[in-house]
Amino acid sequence: MKYFWRKTKKTGLALGGGAVLGAVHVGVLRALEEKKIRIDCLAGTSIGAVVAALYAFRAPIDDIEKFSKELKWLDITKVSLSRLGLMSNEKLGDLLIEYIGNKDIEEAGIPLQIVATDIASGEKVILKNGNLADAVRASACIPGIFKPVEINGTMLVDGGIVEHIPITPLKAMGADRIIAVQLQIHQAAKKPDHIVEVLLNTFEFMVNNISKPYLKDADILIRPNLSEFDKVNTNQVNDLITKGYNEAMIRLDQ
């Protein structure tokens, strides 16, 4: 396949967090492939780290779409006996290994970096090497829901706390042009139905403010209107993929 936009510019793709809304990323990837835009480096946070990992290890788009459709809350969680979290997301790592094998980040076909947060210091941790499944689990470890993931003696949680849309890692990797995908629900206040929505809403309010300074560095910002969706209902996946595809095609044409 012949790719355009590659000879003189290095293109990076930043995939942000957003729980079930991450299915949007799959539609964006399909649009990029149809437009023959080659991605030279990837960075992911939270669910964005999951999709970025699959793509970086050359999983076909059809397989990534299948993964997103099969991903259910009970598939990636189990009750934890830890005092540090209600649940564990170890199953997420197992599912990733099932699709692409037990890999290290540095083995990726497309250079990949994953954002997590040191829960002791609050510092941003960029994972560039080491076990891929553990790195993804750490980046997608929502505090208060999942117990932290320990890597090299550091307790890590969701990277969205420090950089919800991971643009700075792409700059460090030498990206000349950056495409960023933001997953945000724009809607009037809606009362949450359960504790998971309370935690996810709280998390979103916080990370959206944190993301603003970084967004100015995105050359193309793909930010679909997701007001009709929520972050927990997995029955929305097909519509979210379509939403991501359509929005990406519009932005890329522009």
Side-chain angles (χ1 to χ4, degrees):
M1 179 179 289
K2 182 179 179 181
Y3 286 94
F4 301 104
W5 200 9
R6 64 175 294 193
K7 295 290 186 181
T8 59
K9 296 291 183 181
K10 184 175 182 179
T11 304
L13 177 64
L15 300 181
V20 171
L21 302 178
V24 165
H25 294 323
V26 182
V28 171
L29 290 175
R30 191 173 290 282
L32 289 169
E33 292 218 333
E34 286 190 15
K35 290 290 186 182
K36 296 182 172 58
I37 294 176
R38 174 176 172 137
I39 299 302
D40 300 296
C41 53
L42 281 159
T45 298
S46 198
I47 189 63
V50 178
V51 179
L54 290 165
Y55 196 67
F57 278 84
R58 308 293 192 185
I61 292 296
D62 287 345
D63 286 355
I64 300 176
E65 184 169 328
K66 179 182 176 185
F67 182 98
S68 68
K69 290 178 179 179
E70 291 180 349
L71 195 63
K72 307 294 183 184
W73 184 257
L74 292 178
D75 290 337
I76 62 169
T77 64
K78 66 178 181 180
V79 175
S80 170
L81 300 178
S82 171
R83 294 175 298 174
L84 302 174
L86 301 173
M87 302 180 193
S88 164
N89 67 356
E90 290 177 11
K91 288 184 177 181
L92 175 60
D94 294 339
L95 191 58
L96 199 61
I97 290 171
E98 180 183 326
Y99 266 75
I100 58 178
N102 193 11
K103 305 289 188 179
D104 287 336
I105 299 171
E106 60 269 31
E107 297 179 66
I110 304 172
L112 169 68
Q113 294 188 9
I114 293 170
V115 180
T117 304
D118 182 337
I119 195 57
S121 68
E123 294 181 353
K124 177 164 54 181
V125 177
I126 306 296
L127 299 165
K128 309 173 185 178
N129 48 50
N131 186 265
L132 175 72
D134 287 345
V136 170
R137 286 180 52 227
S139 184
C141 183
I142 303 169
I145 296 180
F146 297 123
K147 70 176 182 179
V149 176
E150 187 169 331
I151 297 178
N152 298 327
T154 302
M155 295 176 66
L156 301 176
V157 296
D158 200 302
I161 295 173
V162 287
E163 191 165 353
H164 194 45
I165 304 165
I167 290 174
T168 59
L170 296 175
K171 295 175 69 177
M173 284 190 279
D176 301 294
R177 287 172 167 162
I178 293 174
I179 301 169
V181 185
Q182 183 180 22
L183 309 177
Q184 184 178 357
I185 296 176
H186 306 276
Q187 61 184 22
K190 171 182 173 292
K191 292 182 179 179
D193 294 325
H194 45 72
I195 187 173
V196 174
E197 285 192 345
V198 170
L199 291 169
L200 288 174
N201 283 359
T202 303
F203 198 64
E204 181 177 12
F205 301 150
M206 176 183 67
V207 300
N208 283 340
N209 286 325
I210 292 170
S211 299
K212 290 176 182 177
Y214 302 113
L215 293 178
K216 68 181 189 313
D217 293 321
D219 297 285
I220 296 178
L221 178 60
I222 298 171
R223 182 168 49 186
N225 182 352
L226 302 176
S227 58
E228 62 192 285
F229 302 100
D230 64 65
K231 290 191 171 186
V232 295
N233 183 0
T234 55
N235 293 326
Q236 310 166 108
V237 167
N238 284 331
D239 291 337
L240 285 164
I241 292 172
T242 300
K243 193 79 171 181
Y245 173 84
N246 290 339
E247 183 68 17
M249 293 296 278
I250 291 169
R251 294 292 294 120
L252 293 171
D253 283 340
Q254 291 173 346

